[in-house]
Amino acid sequence: MIIDKDTLGILSRAIERLDQGFSNLPEIAAGQNDAALAAMERVLLEAAARMQDNYPYMHPYYAGQMLKPPHPVARLAYSLALFINPNNHALDGGIASSAMEKECVAEIARMFGFESHLGHLTSGGTMANLEAIWVASQLRPGKLIVASKQAHYTHSRITGVLGVPYAGVEVDDKGCMDLQHLEQLLIHGQDGKQVGTVVVTLGTTSIGSVDPLPEILALRKKYDFRIHIDSAYGGYFKLVDNLDADAAAAYAAIDQADSIVVDPHKHGLQPYGCGCVIFKDPACGALYKHDSPYTYFSSDQLHLGEISLECSRAGASAVALWATQQLLPLVRGGEFAQGLSKSRQAAIAFYKRLSEDRRFVAPLMPQLDIVVYAVKARSASTSSRLAKEVFEAAAAQNLHLALAGLPRSLFARSQFEGGDFDWDQENITCLRSCLMKPEHLSYLDEVWLLLGKATDLCLAEVNV
Ligand SMILES: *Cc1c(COP(=O)(O)O)cnc(C)c1O
């Protein structure tokens, strides 16, 4: 069995309990007749057959993109909520699920060490970052938003959509924001505009690098700017104890930021449609002020739509997150934190094997749980071609990896520099593995074996 079916009984019992809450109403003929049931079953089985055409994200042999299955309790709670289909825009649409959302967001804020906060869930990290950058640009009108060149690509697009100026900051040879270039931008600005907000990425999407937050905070004392943390992928690593010293220092300082984004649908075991943005200063809620003539009548309490840019939003996301946080509280040393720790351990162990193996070059020590590795070759173009071949050969053996293009600058500390390696192109296509599932740790030997087989097949052809 690959897909969990054991938990479905819990769902029917929970739906029974939910139904009891509405027993004061006259019954409606909610039951289905046999023909309708048969038609639905036909369609659903067809959907199931079509869905077989997917990579097995739930399996540890899927060690590619940033994809992780939701926790069973999240899946069940989401499904349960669908029988109501609450809308967390206003309390009219979701009384209980709005309350659950506020509780979840408060726990996330506590995890980051925020003593005050205003925040909510969003449809994802892009929307969450858009809100944070929109707020930042309202508070620092006309000023630049800057983020590192390894930051998520959506930052330049978001600023484009918002019509606010944007500049990219260079990265160092570890893929972290370059402090010298940042300071140059802080002093001189760009195109006549001064920096208003620095987006600090704790966990870049491509390589998992962590920007040097403590040093950026020191610069904030000299130059006045806002700090927004994009930790859509990396935020939950706040809870683990096995980070390197630089990353640990960055996470320890996260409570100094003005706003933070984290995606429960990345490392938080949630179904898609769940991002989160939190602001330290609740007063920024005033920026969202708007009138909606047909909602907000049911209660004087805060409607989440009054503090978010999106209108309708799945209340089911909040119910799923709430259930998950009940089962797996966001505490250091807890079961949830241990799962992340294992991912991190898997990444370190995988990196170690790669570094000691003559077939690979792993240019960057992983800072979180993403490992990027090149196939050893005589030139950048051959290495890139081989990576694509290994990617295919591994997939043929059910091991699913991902590819990522890395600039030459990130190989500065690797054996590709200083020898007779031919840099016939400035980028190398590398293999990339997000070891996001805790099971990756216990499956590392198997993953390694399959990767080795795939690589040997590809290298054999080069040497013929
Ligand atoms: C994934 C990610 C985003 C985008 O979030 P979505 O949920 O995919 O919209 C933004 N920033 C970082 C660092 C990410 O990892």
Side-chain angles (χ1 to χ4, degrees), residues 91-368:
L91 291 167
D92 317 47
I95 303 170
S97 52
S98 293
M100 286 163 150
E101 176 165 332
K102 290 174 194 170
E103 291 170 33
C104 290
V105 172
E107 188 177 344
I108 292 175
R110 260 197 309 279
M111 168 178 82
F112 289 128
F114 272 19
E115 277 167 13
S116 60
H117 79 277
L118 184 84
H120 60 88
L121 301 180
T122 62
S123 58
T126 305
M127 197 61 209
N129 276 316
L130 183 136
E131 292 206 17
I133 288 174
W134 174 73
V135 164
S137 68
Q138 301 270 307
L139 296 173
R140 307 279 169 128
K143 297 244 168 111
L144 276 170
I145 308 280
V146 303
S148 96
K149 292 193 172 171
Q150 281 291 327
H152 201 264
Y153 74 92
T154 46
H155 288 290
S156 75
R157 199 143 80 175
I158 286 167
T159 48
V161 169
L162 294 172
V164 299
Y166 177 80
V169 187
E170 297 298 336
V171 292
D172 62 18
D173 57 13
K174 291 188 289 185
C176 305
M177 185 178 277
D178 184 276
L179 292 162
Q180 280 183 343
H181 187 221
L182 175 62
E183 188 157 16
Q184 286 305 307
L185 280 168
L186 291 169
I187 295 169
H188 302 296
Q190 186 168 294
D191 300 330
K193 298 200 161 66
Q194 293 301 310
V195 175
T197 300
V198 178
V199 176
V200 178
T201 308
L202 299 193
T204 57
T205 317
S206 147
I207 57 175
S209 53
V210 175
D211 283 343
L213 182 57
E215 290 78 4
I216 297 169
L217 284 165
L219 288 171
R220 186 169 69 173
K221 292 216 176 89
K222 259 170 97 179
Y223 314 93
D224 172 47
F225 55 86
R226 275 180 74 83
I227 293 183
H228 168 60
I229 307 273
D230 181 5
S231 59
Y233 144 67
Y236 289 105
F237 282 95
K238 168 77 182 154
L239 297 174
V240 310
D241 295 316
N242 56 349
L243 299 176
D244 68 34
D246 290 342
Y251 279 92
I254 203 167
D255 62 336
Q256 302 299 306
D258 296 296
S259 53
I260 306 179
V261 159
V262 64
D263 261 356
H265 72 198
K266 287 239 178 88
H267 249 313
L269 299 166
Q270 296 311 295
Y272 286 113
C274 196
C276 177
V277 59
I278 51 176
F279 298 95
K280 179 179 284 164
D281 181 5
C284 68
L287 297 169
Y288 287 89
K289 195 166 165 37
H290 65 279
D291 268 331
S292 175
Y294 41 82
T295 44
Y296 310 147
F297 291 118
S298 64
S299 166
D300 292 336
Q301 288 209 10
L302 179 73
H303 301 264
L304 289 161
E306 292 178 282
I307 54 154
S308 44
L309 289 182
E310 287 173 282
C311 185
S312 295
R313 241 178 346 93
S317 292
V319 180
L321 185 59
W322 183 87
T324 311
Q325 290 184 187
Q326 289 292 305
L327 194 69
L328 305 169
L330 301 178
V331 292
R332 293 182 92 83
E335 193 180 332
F336 177 77
Q338 281 169 18
L340 285 173
S341 260
K342 280 190 187 162
S343 290
R344 166 98 187 109
Q345 256 176 280
I348 297 169
F350 190 47
Y351 170 78
K352 189 159 179 292
R353 291 188 192 210
L354 290 162
S355 327
E356 289 166 359
D357 194 291
R358 293 177 46 234
R359 296 167 293 181
F360 303 102
V361 169
L364 303 163
M365 172 84 179
Q367 283 197 284
L368 299 178

Side-chain angles (χ1 to χ4, degrees), residues 378 382 385-386 389 455-464:
R378 294 214 184 87
T382 313
R385 181 172 56 76
L386 283 168
E389 287 175 15
T455 307
D456 287 343
L457 280 172
C458 300
L459 289 176
E461 292 191 9
V462 175
N463 295 332
V464 166

